Amino acid sequence: MQTQLRGALEMSAAMAISGTIGWFVVHFDQPLADLLFWRCVFGAATLLVVCFALGLLKRGIAPRKFALAALGGVALVVNWVLIFASFSRASISIATAVYNTQPFMLVALGALLLSERLTAMKAIWLCIAFAGVVLVAQAKSGGGADGSSYFVGVLMALGAAFCYALAAFVAKKLDGIAPHLIALIQVCVGIVMLAPFANLSALPADAATWGVHLTMGVVYTGLVFVLLYGALQKLSTPVAGALSFIYPLVAIGVDYVAFGQRLGALQVVGAAAILIAAAGMTFGWTLPGLARRSPVAGKS
């Protein structure tokens, strides 16, 4: 019981912290390449200490699995670039809501690449989420963004969701490797990817900027990853899935409190449709008359 309670507290803390990252990115308004580069640097340093303390660095890793972990790192870093860039275009609330189409991206990848089962109910949740995205994309009044910029922001959030799902899909192929070690490999890949775009010729000269970069790396990367992976080892999948919805709720609340973001009617309906569909997918909810329907694609 104490183990589950600790896991629930760790998961809740990880999701609550993650929910404030949009505010952090928008409020401090650092160049994106620099912000992400130093996030990877300080995140790698934090995870290196954690992996060393857990004795994970003594274990070898097969070249094929290292390559897969690196591929996941590429997807993860592109995901960060897209979701952070979407905040200023579509607002934190809308970007976060659209970003929560991740479960559907993962299901689609499983159905396409692994012939995993796609049931009638999952297909319905997918359609509801898609309808929510369409409503959100058509509502151009939120967050002070309109026109093509708003639409690009929605597309960026969708792209970020796909990249995150791809990273999660790759991680499923890395059985037997500690998630902390996978995360370390991924942020090291991020350092290599982002170094050419970061302004390394003129390093930050003030303590405040270094504080922003340290917080992104140590808190939003190292600490969040440690809390999240520690929680997932202690919790059942349904409980972890339920607690993961703290993230979008905190993000939407923070956007309202910090930036006065008020969603339009279509945005509210669209965002609610996405989050409800994601919850339905996560918890296996069914609608009356559909519980016994046969799969519509793939195999069991």
Side-chain angles (χ1 to χ4, degrees):
M1 187 65 180
Q2 289 183 341
T3 299
Q4 292 181 349
L5 176 60
R6 180 179 175 183
L9 292 174
E10 289 173 344
M11 186 77 178
S12 299
M15 293 298 98
I17 294 171
S18 297
T20 65
I21 196 169
W23 167 83
F24 193 86
V25 171
V26 173
H27 178 75
F28 289 102
D29 193 28
Q30 293 292 310
L32 189 55
D34 292 352
L35 185 69
L36 289 175
F37 173 78
W38 291 111
R39 178 185 192 180
C40 289
V41 169
F42 291 119
T46 305
L47 290 167
L48 183 63
V49 172
V50 172
C51 289
F52 177 79
L54 296 175
L56 301 178
L57 300 179
K58 299 177 182 178
R59 306 175 187 176
I61 178 171
R64 179 180 176 275
K65 290 196 172 183
F66 181 87
L68 279 175
L71 176 62
V74 173
L76 185 66
V77 172
V78 175
N79 148 75
W80 286 342
V81 171
L82 291 173
I83 191 61
F84 287 0
S86 72
F87 289 151
S88 60
R89 292 172 172 84
S91 85
I92 296 170
S93 298
I94 292 301
T96 301
V98 174
Y99 189 57
N100 273 270
T101 56
Q102 303 160 18
F104 304 101
M105 307 284 190
L106 189 56
V107 168
L109 286 172
L112 290 173
L113 301 179
L114 300 178
S115 297
E116 291 182 347
R117 185 175 65 176
L118 178 60
T119 64
M121 195 63 246
K122 286 182 179 180
I124 289 174
W125 290 128
L126 177 60
C127 291
I128 292 173
F130 178 75
V133 172
V134 171
L135 287 175
V136 163
Q138 290 180 339
K140 301 182 178 66
S141 60
D146 56 17
S148 61
S149 179
Y150 177 86
F151 185 68
V152 168
V154 173
L155 290 180
M156 284 181 167
L158 274 175
F162 175 78
C163 290
Y164 185 87
L166 183 59
F169 183 81
V170 170
K172 292 173 67 175
K173 301 293 185 181
L174 296 173
D175 293 338
I177 302 178
H180 304 82
L181 186 58
I182 296 173
L184 175 59
I185 294 171
Q186 291 176 335
V187 292
C188 287
V189 168
I191 294 173
V192 176
M193 287 177 61
L194 295 164
F197 306 100
N199 185 15
L200 301 181
S201 61
L203 298 178
D206 58 293
T209 302
W210 281 117
V212 171
H213 293 322
L214 274 168
T215 302
M216 277 294 292
V218 176
V219 177
Y220 284 106
T221 306
L223 177 61
V224 167
F225 280 14
V226 169
L227 288 172
L228 177 61
Y229 294 145
L232 292 176
Q233 292 173 349
K234 302 178 182 73
L235 298 175
S236 64
T237 299
V239 173
L243 293 175
S244 69
F245 283 93
I246 292 175
Y247 164 59
L249 294 177
V250 169
I252 292 171
V254 167
D255 199 20
Y256 177 80
V257 173
F259 301 110
Q261 171 64 28
R262 291 172 174 80
L263 302 182
L266 283 179
Q267 291 175 316
V268 170
V269 173
I274 294 169
L275 295 178
I276 290 171
M281 177 76 79
T282 301
F283 304 126
W285 293 345
T286 58
L287 298 177
L290 291 173
R292 296 184 179 181
R293 293 288 181 88
S294 58
V296 298
K299 61 183 180 181
S300 59

